[in-house]
Amino acid sequence: MKIKDILVAGSIVIGAMSITSCSDFLELKPTDAQTSETFFRTSVEAKQALVGIYEKLRSDYNGANPNEVRMFDMAMGDDAYVGGDPTGTDMPYFQDLSKFRSQTNNAAGKAAWDKCYGGIQRANTLLVNYDQINFTTAEEDLKNNFKGEALFLRGHYYFELARLFENVPVITEPLAGDAWKEVQQATPDELYAQIAKDMAEAISLMAESAPEGEEGRLDKYAAEAELLKVFLFYTGYYGKSELPVKDGVVIVEGESAVTSLNKTHMIDYANDIITNSGAELATNYADLFNENGDYNNEVVFEIAFANTGSGDWGDYSYGSILCQMSGPRGHSGDILKSGWGFMSPSRELESSFEDGDLRKASTIIYSKDLIDSKGEVYQAHYNFTSMHTNKYTTHAWNEAESETPLNWGQNYHYIRFADVLLMAAELNLDTNSGKALEYLNRVRQRAGLSNKSSISLEDIQQERRVELALEGHRYFDVLRRGLDEAAEEINVSGYTLTPPSDTDEIYVDDNGNNMTGDIGTAETFNVTFDKTKRGFLPIPQVEVDLHPTLIQNEGYR
C-alpha cells in the first residue's frame, strides 16, 4: 500500500467482516464496504473492524507475491536455500535476497510493505474512531480487549517493518488531503518507541485468554511474548540496554509511567507468561506440526490459515502459501503432496542437531524417504540438498480436495512456549544463570537430550536454532548479534556438494542425478552477506519515487 493511499480521514473505506459458524476467529470473508462515518457505532462493528486487522496476519500471498516472515528467513538465513524451479529462475526476488543482491523493485519486499501498512491502516482506522463506538456498560471488558488487540496488532505490523526495512514512516492516524506528501521516515529509536508503546499499552488492556470458540484471537501473553522479541532484537542489533517507549507508559497499575523498558521489565513479562499463561511444552514435539498442531497449548501467538476451497490467487486466499512452496516438486505420496520445491534445508542445519535429537525428524524429511514410500523419483529443485522441511509443508493429511495450492489449512505458530523459555533463559543469563539453565534444559528434555550442567549464550543460540528451525526466527536471531557475526554465520564459500548416501539406481532421476545427495553447481550454494546493506531490504522504489521525503536504505542507493 503506497503511503499516499493510507486512508484519508472522512472517506475511510473498511471491509465489513461477517462472523460465520466456524469456530476459528479468522475464518471470515469480506461481505461489503462502508465509510467510517456510517460504520463505527456498536461493539459488533468494532469487532468486525478488528477482524479486518487480524486478517492481514495471514496475507502471505499479497499481490501474488509470497511475502511473510518465514519466507524472508528462508531466503536470507542460513538454515535453508530458496530452491524452486531447477533453472534457478523461480521467484527471482527471493533468489536475489538469498545472495544479498536484491534490487530496489523487489516484489516480495513490496508485498510485505503493502501487507504491513494495510494492517496498520486498518488498526489506525479503528483506533481513531474508537471513542464514537457505543459500548454498553456490560461491555467494558470488551471495549478494553478490542482496543488492546488493535494496538498490539499495529505494533506487530510495525515490528515486521522494523526488522525488514528499518527506516519506515510511523503513521498512527489516517492522513487528510495531501498530508501523505510530508510523511518522513522515523529513526529506529522513534520506530521502536512506538512499537513498545503500542504493545505495553495493549498488555494492560487485553484479556488473559481468548473467548471460547474464538481461537485465533490474541491475548496479553502473546503481546508480552512479542515484546520480548522486540526488546531482544532492538537491544541486540543497536547495542542498547533499554527499549524506548514513546511518551512513556504505565506498566504497573498505581506506579509512574516509564519512558524505557529494561531487562528487569522483560524478565517480569517472561515470568508472567511462564507462570500464568497456562501455556506449556507439548509432550511430543511432532504434535506441533502434524494433525494435532493447530491451537496446540504450546502456542502463544498463532496465525490461523484455513481451507475454504477458494481459488482466488490474490489477497483473499486463506490457505498457507508457504506450505505449497515448501512441498517437493512433482511428488505426491502418502507423506507429502506436490509443492513448488522451496525451502531446502541446508547441510549446516542438518549437522546442527545432536545425535538423538527428536526434533530432527519433525524438521527435516529426506528425499530418500519420499522415494522409498512412493517407489519413484521426482523433480529435484534448485540448490537441492536431498532434504525438505517437514514442518510447514504439503502434509498429505492436510491436502484440500479442490484448489489445493491455495488451501493448506495449517496454522503458523509464530511464538511458541519453547521460544519464550529460550528468550527467558537469555534474559536471565547474566543475573540468574540457574534459572536460565532450568529453562534451557526444559527445552532439551522434551527433545530427548541430556541436561546441560552449565549454560552460555552460545548454548542458548544453538538451542534456538534447532528448536525453532525453519519457523522464521533464525535470520533475525543471527542479525541481532551484529553485522560481523551475521556475516560469519551466513557466509558460505568453497561449498562442496555432499555425495549421495545411497547408490541404488532407484534414487537416480532421468537426468542422471542421484537424489540422496546434493544436486546442482557448487558455486550456487555459496553466499556472501553484504554488510553494506546492514541486513535489511530496500525501501520499495515505487515509494521512494512517489514520496519526496523518503530516503533509500543504505547499500541500495
Side-chain angles (χ1 to χ4, degrees):
M1 167 148 318
K2 298 181 180 66
I3 294 173
K4 76 178 183 68
D5 293 331
I6 297 293
L7 297 179
V8 177
S11 61
I12 301 170
V13 178
I14 193 160
M17 314 294 283
S18 61
I19 299 177
T20 70
S21 60
C22 300
S23 62
D24 184 345
F25 178 62
L26 288 180
E27 286 188 6
L28 311 170
K29 296 183 179 181
T31 57
D32 81 7
Q34 293 180 332
T35 69
S36 61
E37 293 177 348
T38 62
F39 185 74
F40 294 102
R41 293 292 181 267
T42 69
S43 62
V44 172
E45 290 165 335
K47 185 173 184 178
Q48 290 171 340
L50 179 63
V51 171
I53 307 170
Y54 270 95
E55 186 54 52
K56 280 297 181 182
L57 288 175
R58 64 180 177 193
S59 180
D60 67 345
Y61 202 48
N62 191 13
N65 294 302
N67 67 85
E68 59 116 88
V69 64
R70 290 171 293 172
M71 301 170 196
F72 293 106
D73 180 65
M74 164 193 73
M76 298 187 289
D78 57 346
D79 278 353
Y81 287 92
V82 171
D85 187 273
T87 62
T89 60
D90 205 350
M91 296 189 186
Y93 36 83
F94 281 127
Q95 299 291 350
D96 287 344
L97 286 170
S98 72
K99 302 298 184 182
F100 296 92
R101 61 188 183 203
S102 177
Q103 302 299 305
T104 58
N105 62 349
N106 188 284
K110 180 62 168 63
W113 177 282
D114 288 351
K115 178 186 79 171
C116 290
Y117 272 113
I120 291 164
Q121 159 207 305
R122 294 180 181 191
N124 287 344
T125 301
L126 174 57
L127 292 168
V128 80
N129 289 282
Y130 212 73
D131 289 342
Q132 74 184 43
I133 301 172
N134 296 314
F135 289 92
T136 68
T137 303
E139 294 177 329
E140 192 65 25
D141 286 344
L142 208 61
K143 180 179 180 180
N144 289 334
N145 296 345
F146 288 174
K147 184 176 182 180
E149 289 170 66
L151 283 168
F152 172 48
L153 288 168
R154 183 172 70 181
H156 167 80
Y157 292 123
Y158 270 125
F159 183 44
E160 293 291 272
L161 290 169
R163 291 194 296 177
L164 292 175
F165 300 99
E166 184 184 34
N167 300 296
V168 303
V170 172
I171 303 166
T172 56
E173 59 184 30
L175 303 175
D178 290 336
W180 62 269
K181 295 180 180 179
E182 306 302 322
V183 168
Q184 297 187 12
Q185 288 148 299
T187 66
D189 286 349
E190 292 168 339
L191 173 58
Y192 278 91
Q194 181 64 53
I195 294 168
K197 181 177 181 63
D198 279 351
M199 291 189 178
E201 286 189 354
I203 290 166
S204 67
L205 295 169
M206 294 172 73
E208 294 190 357
S209 62
E212 185 176 354
E214 295 189 24
E215 293 86 355
R217 279 183 65 181
L218 301 171
D219 58 32
K220 61 171 283 190
Y221 302 111
E224 289 178 336
E226 187 161 32
L227 189 51
L228 300 183
K229 280 195 177 297
V230 172
F231 179 86
L232 288 171
F233 187 86
Y234 173 80
T235 56
Y237 185 86
Y238 295 103
K240 303 291 183 70
S241 61
E242 297 187 344
L243 174 67
V245 182
K246 183 181 179 182
D247 301 328
V249 66
V250 175
I251 59 174
V252 178
E253 188 175 354
E255 294 190 5
S256 300
V258 298
T259 57
S260 63
L261 299 173
N262 57 35
K263 190 175 289 188
T264 300
H265 294 126
M266 294 302 113
I267 291 173
D268 288 343
Y269 284 133
N271 288 342
D272 191 30
I273 302 168
I274 293 167
T275 305
N276 300 317
S277 71
E280 57 187 359
L281 294 177
T283 302
N284 299 311
Y285 188 80
D287 282 341
L288 292 164
F289 308 103
N290 60 22
E291 300 95 322
N292 302 311
D294 287 359
Y295 306 115
N296 189 292
N297 198 43
E298 179 169 335
V299 185
V300 179
F301 186 149
E302 186 138 358
I303 298 177
F305 290 92
N307 169 14
T308 64
S310 169
D312 184 350
W313 286 85
D315 201 21
Y316 289 110
S317 179
Y318 299 149
S320 171
I321 204 67
L322 180 70
C323 290
Q324 176 64 24
M325 291 177 66
S326 300
R329 297 178 67 88
H331 169 86
S332 185
D334 295 334
I335 302 173
L336 297 181
K337 297 300 181 179
S338 181
W340 295 342
F342 288 83
M343 196 176 281
S344 180
S346 67
R347 292 295 178 182
E348 187 179 350
L349 172 62
E350 178 190 30
S351 65
S352 294
F353 289 92
E354 299 173 51
D355 290 343
D357 193 327
L358 300 176
R359 296 170 293 198
K360 186 176 182 181
S362 296
T363 303
I364 295 172
I365 186 167
Y366 287 87
S367 175
K368 182 179 186 301
D369 297 326
L370 298 180
I371 294 171
D372 287 344
S373 70
K374 184 74 182 293
E376 61 184 39
V377 295
Y378 51 96
Q379 187 179 38
H381 57 248
Y382 189 64
N383 285 151
F384 189 79
T385 61
S386 79
M387 297 178 283
H388 304 278
T389 176
N390 201 24
K391 287 186 172 180
Y392 300 102
T393 186
T394 53
H395 295 294
W397 56 263
N398 196 27
E399 184 181 26
E401 293 183 0
S402 63
E403 303 292 350
T404 300
L406 295 172
N407 287 282
W408 297 102
Q410 182 181 4
N411 291 355
Y412 170 36
H413 309 328
Y414 170 49
I415 303 179
R416 297 192 278 110
F417 189 62
D419 190 355
V420 173
L421 288 174
L422 294 173
M423 288 191 288
E426 188 171 343
L427 290 163
N428 280 280
L429 182 61
D430 295 334
T431 55
N432 192 336
S433 61
K435 181 172 283 189
L437 183 61
E438 174 196 343
Y439 293 153
L440 179 78
N441 282 333
R442 285 176 67 176
V443 176
R444 288 178 59 80
Q445 288 164 8
R446 196 261 301 271
L449 300 176
S450 61
N451 287 344
K452 285 188 172 290
S453 58
S454 61
I455 186 171
S456 66
L457 180 59
E458 290 72 22
D459 291 329
I460 299 171
Q461 291 169 342
Q462 162 63 16
E463 208 62 41
R464 287 187 63 80
R465 181 175 199 176
V466 291
E467 172 68 30
L468 304 171
L470 307 178
E471 295 182 46
H473 304 284
R474 170 66 177 174
Y475 177 69
F476 303 104
D477 278 348
V478 169
L479 190 58
R480 66 182 171 91
R481 300 183 203 172
L483 298 180
D484 289 339
E485 191 164 346
E488 184 177 342
E489 289 288 328
I490 292 170
N491 285 346
V492 178
S493 61
Y495 189 90
T496 301
L497 297 177
T498 298
S501 62
D502 196 309
T503 57
D504 194 301
E505 290 188 2
I506 190 177
Y507 304 115
V508 179
D509 67 14
D510 292 342
N511 296 316
N513 298 309
N514 188 309
M515 298 184 68
T516 66
D518 290 351
I519 297 175
T521 304
E523 175 59 30
T524 66
F525 290 84
N526 291 332
V527 178
T528 300
F529 178 78
D530 186 350
K531 290 194 288 185
T532 69
K533 295 180 170 64
R534 305 181 63 253
F536 299 110
L537 276 60
I539 304 298
Q541 190 61 44
V542 64
E543 299 288 347
V544 176
D545 292 342
L546 184 63
H547 305 286
T549 65
L550 296 193
I551 300 173
Q552 185 54 267
N553 280 341
E554 290 183 31
Y556 299 100
R557 299 170 190 167

